[in-house]
């Protein structure tokens, strides 16, 4: 059974940093591109970032480019999102999701999400 | 960026009704479109990929159609467990933007 478990969310002040982690199991992690998608409270879904299986291709939404860094460790079956210079508008539930195919092609399995709140 | 216009933003229907949601892309995206279901407090779930392919395990009352710029998602007979918000998503180009969502309620 495919499982994705996010961790690392919490309350952080504007300008602060946070690192999200996603532990994957139940599939060959190193064969799949992975994504981060977020959802602000009461709002719709927003794609944040994608990384290919070997980390060769990395993409970001314009809203986070230069502030967020996606990475993965295939030996540890883990996906990460380093978030710096956080803003109030980054407040959201962050989902780790497996890409259907190549990076940016949509998501077939999702984690339960981790809440990031940016507030003073 | 390719914009996705989803409508309606909400609807109310009776159990057993046929429900239709539309999604329009701002440019031709071929069949590079997914549909997701999100129940309150839960993560989204993939229902339809490549515009019309049913994800494994998804009930056959869900279907999708369309290509180019105009797409349709249909629930042939609405069930109480279908109460959720539904999103389309294009993946022809990055960023893979989602539509604004359609909240489906029972009348």
């Amino acid at each position: 059974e495919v499982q994705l478990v996010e961790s690392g969310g919490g309350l952080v002040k504007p300008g602060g940093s946070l690192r999200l982690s996603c532990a994957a199991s139940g599939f060959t992690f190193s064969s799949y591109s992975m994504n981060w998608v977020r959802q602000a409270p009461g709002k719709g879904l927003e794609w944040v970032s994608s990384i290919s299986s070997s980390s060769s291709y990395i993409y970001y939404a314009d809203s986070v480019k230069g502030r967020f860094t996606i990475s993965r460790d295939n030996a540890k079956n883990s996906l990460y999102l380093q978030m710096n210079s956080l803003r109030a508008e980054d407040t959201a539930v962050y989902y780790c999701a497996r890409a259907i195919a190549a990076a940016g092609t949509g998501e077939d399995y999702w984690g339960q999400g981790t809440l990031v709140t940016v507030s003073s | 960026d390719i914009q996705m216009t989803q409508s309606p933003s909400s609807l109310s229907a009776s159990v057993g009704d046929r429900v239709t949601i539309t999604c329009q892309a701002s440019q031709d995206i071929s069949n590079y479109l997914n549909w997701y279901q999100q129940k309150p407090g839960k993560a989204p779930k993939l229902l339809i990929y490549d515009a019309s392919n049913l994800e494994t395990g998804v009930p056959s009352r869900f279907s999708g159609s369309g290509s180019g710029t105009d797409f349709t998602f249909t629930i042939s007979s609405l069930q109480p467990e279908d109460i959720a918000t539904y999103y389309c998503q294009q993946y022809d180009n990055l960023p893979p933007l989602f539509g604004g969502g359609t909240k489906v309620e029972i009348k």
Side-chain angles (χ1 to χ4, degrees):
Chain A
E1 178 193 5
V2 172
Q3 287 199 353
L4 298 167
V5 180
E6 303 93 337
S7 60
L11 176 64
V12 61
K13 289 182 168 55
S17 298
L18 214 53
R19 189 194 196 207
L20 305 184
S21 299
C22 173
S25 61
F27 66 102
T28 305
F29 181 73
S30 59
S31 297
Y32 286 85
S33 295
M34 297 295 295
N35 304 328
W36 288 99
V37 178
R38 69 184 181 183
Q39 186 170 36
K43 301 298 184 182
L45 300 168
E46 181 188 15
W47 170 80
V48 173
S49 182
S50 294
I51 185 169
S52 63
S53 58
S54 60
S55 304
S56 297
Y57 300 97
I58 288 176
Y59 308 99
Y60 298 100
D62 286 345
S63 57
V64 306
K65 201 172 294 182
R67 301 187 298 120
F68 289 12
T69 302
I70 191 173
S71 63
R72 64 189 296 161
D73 185 336
N74 286 343
K76 294 183 178 180
N77 290 342
S78 292
L79 177 72
Y80 307 101
L81 187 68
Q82 177 67 43
M83 303 186 296
N84 299 330
S85 303
L86 282 161
R87 307 166 180 167
E89 54 265 35
D90 295 319
T91 294
V93 173
Y94 284 74
Y95 294 102
C96 160
R98 190 180 82 170
I100 296 172
T105 58
E107 298 76 23
D108 59 359
Y109 286 94
W110 300 63
Q112 84 287 351
T114 188
L115 177 63
V116 172
T117 303
V118 184
S119 175
S120 55
Chain B
D1 295 357
I2 298 175
Q3 302 302 316
M4 304 302 295
T5 303
Q6 189 174 337
S7 61
S9 57
S10 66
L11 66 88
S12 181
S14 301
V15 173
D17 281 355
R18 183 180 186 88
V19 169
T20 298
I21 299 168
T22 64
C23 196
Q24 186 172 58
S26 59
Q27 65 188 66
D28 189 335
I29 59 169
S30 185
N31 66 332
Y32 299 133
L33 186 99
N34 300 321
W35 288 97
Y36 298 86
Q37 174 193 65
Q38 186 179 31
K39 296 184 177 181
K42 300 293 187 182
K45 175 185 176 183
L46 177 67
L47 299 182
I48 304 281
Y49 62 95
D50 293 347
S52 60
N53 292 313
L54 199 65
E55 176 71 346
T56 302
V58 173
S60 59
R61 65 180 180 273
F62 297 102
S63 65
S65 64
S67 66
T69 60
D70 295 304
F71 301 86
T72 300
F73 172 81
T74 300
I75 307 173
S76 60
S77 176
L78 186 67
Q79 300 301 303
E81 59 266 33
D82 299 336
I83 298 314
T85 299
Y86 294 84
Y87 295 93
C88 63
Q89 179 198 38
Q90 72 81 22
Y91 60 93
D92 181 55
N93 281 333
L94 289 169
L97 291 178
F98 293 87
T102 297
K103 186 175 183 179
V104 175
E105 299 176 321
I106 296 286
K107 192 180 294 181

